[in-house]
Amino acid sequence: SILLDDNSTFTGEKTALPNANSVRGFDVIDTIKTQVEAACSGVVSCADILAIVARDSVVQLGGPTWTVLLGRRDSATASLSAANNNIPSPVSNLSALISSFTAHGLSTKDLVALSGGHTIGQARCTTFRARIYNESNIDTSFATSVKSSCPSAGGDNTLSPLDLATPTTFDNKYYTDLGNRKGLLHSDQQLFSGGSTNSQVTTYSANQNTFFTDFAAAMVKMGNISPLTGTSGQ
């Protein structure tokens, strides 16, 4: 659904609060789809392409691999409100994160493992400004370094890597950062803030292979959330 542009029958998800000025690379998927259609028309959905690209991107950056289950069909509609209401906020606390994942059949273990996807990628200043300027559960030198690219006012779309140490390598440094109070987003640091998920963060920080195994399993599980199959969708 996130690939669909607005039209006369619905407002899509690209302009939803968590996605606007944030999700990018739509042109990459368009290029892949064009080439796949030229090779075998009407066989591979954009939904399957997204699932495969997610796996292949992780592998290219040094992370684990997994078998992507295929056969999804594409949605013919999208929902701005669903995107706004179902994508966890970067200011969510731990209980809200757990509830959000549970609502979609994902466990707390899945939550912590999938959050490790933040070992790559970047976030906009507007999503973490309050954390670096107002919160106490943050390493002071880390906060100072991020403030240089995220002023207290303005610069909302300025980007900072979610994993400062190795932002383009898929590894377990995200969890090491959390242990050192260097989570960029409030929702990241909530995984290591004295709550029920502390021990899992510590485990992943100490053992990258365990993280890789759990992340791969959770990605398969997430990819199985209500796929359109059979005669549903396109």
Side-chain angles (χ1 to χ4, degrees), residues 145-200:
S145 69
V146 180
K147 286 176 183 177
S148 64
S149 61
C150 182
S152 57
D156 283 1
N157 291 323
T158 303
L159 301 175
S160 288
L162 289 158
D163 168 359
L164 219 56
T166 56
T168 57
T169 302
F170 198 97
D171 54 25
N172 65 339
K173 294 295 190 294
Y174 166 81
Y175 299 103
T176 306
D177 287 345
L178 296 186
N180 293 324
R181 298 187 304 140
K182 294 181 180 180
L184 184 64
L185 303 179
H186 175 82
S187 55
D188 288 327
Q189 195 60 55
Q190 280 290 292
L191 301 180
F192 193 86
S193 58
S196 61
T197 53
N198 268 35
S199 59
Q200 192 177 344

Side-chain angles (χ1 to χ4, degrees), residues 23-173:
V23 181
R24 56 201 70 196
F26 296 108
D27 55 317
V28 177
I29 305 302
D30 290 342
T31 299
I32 295 170
K33 178 65 171 174
T34 299
Q35 294 185 23
V36 170
E37 285 300 307
C40 53
S41 178
V43 177
V44 184
S45 66
C46 288
D48 273 353
I49 289 172
L50 282 172
I52 295 166
V53 165
R55 189 268 316 272
D56 291 357
S57 301
V58 169
V59 172
Q60 286 290 318
L61 296 176
T65 188
W66 58 90
T67 300
V68 179
L69 299 179
L70 303 173
R72 300 168 187 79
R73 287 162 67 91
D74 284 328
S75 174
T77 187
S79 170
L80 179 72
S81 61
N84 277 325
N85 293 326
N86 286 295
I87 299 175
S89 164
V91 298
S92 296
N93 60 27
L94 183 59
S95 61
L97 291 170
I98 291 173
S99 296
S100 178
F101 276 66
T102 300
H104 294 93
L106 297 170
S107 67
T108 301
K109 180 180 179 180
D110 296 326
L111 159 65
V112 179
L114 290 169
S115 295
H118 285 181
T119 181
I120 55 175
Q122 303 185 77
R124 295 185 298 136
C125 171
T126 186
T127 63
F128 59 82
R129 178 184 286 118
R131 168 155 168 74
I132 62 173
Y133 284 96
N134 302 330
E135 295 187 11
S136 58
N137 186 25
I138 187 169
D139 178 83
T140 52
S141 62
F142 167 69
T144 299
S145 69
V146 180
K147 286 176 183 177
S148 64
S149 61
C150 182
S152 57
D156 283 1
N157 291 323
T158 303
L159 301 175
S160 288
L162 289 158
D163 168 359
L164 219 56
T166 56
T168 57
T169 302
F170 198 97
D171 54 25
N172 65 339
K173 294 295 190 294

